[in-house]
Amino acid sequence: MEQETWIQNILESTTGITTVEPNANLWAKIQHKIQKQNYVAPKTVWLVAASVAILVILNITVMKTKAEEKSTTPTSYFENTLNKSNQLYQ
């Protein structure tokens, strides 16, 4: 019973609290900063997008040229795997 009374007293302790009003000048400054949001210029966005596109195209081009270099004929693969010293046993 005593614990329930204590809990009820804690819950009712906020009934007499009044809300605090901020200073009008400070409130105006805060509202002004919120409304003055930083933004990125559209020119910067387009430059970044163009840079990313160029990098993607460059990477794809390099990957394609590397893949073409790696593709070999069966004869050239066989020649590359042969032992160059002509020794049967090492």
Side-chain angles (χ1 to χ4, degrees):
M1 196 65 169
E2 190 175 311
Q3 185 177 5
E4 291 178 20
T5 308
W6 178 74
I7 291 173
Q8 194 63 30
N9 286 339
I10 296 294
L11 291 175
E12 292 175 358
S13 67
T14 60
T15 56
I17 295 178
T18 58
T19 58
V20 178
E21 295 294 324
N23 183 354
N25 190 20
L26 178 62
W27 182 253
K29 284 182 182 179
I30 292 171
Q31 290 298 324
H32 179 59
K33 284 188 178 183
I34 289 173
Q35 291 173 355
K36 183 188 165 187
Q37 295 177 349
N38 294 333
Y39 72 96
V40 179
K43 182 179 179 180
T44 306
V45 173
W46 282 107
L47 287 174
V48 169
S51 300
V52 169
I54 289 171
L55 285 174
V56 167
I57 291 170
L58 194 67
N59 281 336
I60 291 172
T61 305
V62 168
M63 287 175 20
K64 281 186 178 180
T65 57
K66 290 292 181 182
E68 288 172 1
E69 288 176 5
K70 286 185 178 181
S71 65
T72 59
T73 62
T75 308
S76 64
Y77 175 75
F78 181 69
E79 290 171 355
N80 289 333
T81 57
L82 282 177
N83 192 351
K84 303 291 184 196
S85 66
N86 284 336
Q87 295 291 323
L88 187 56
Y89 299 108
Q90 291 184 351

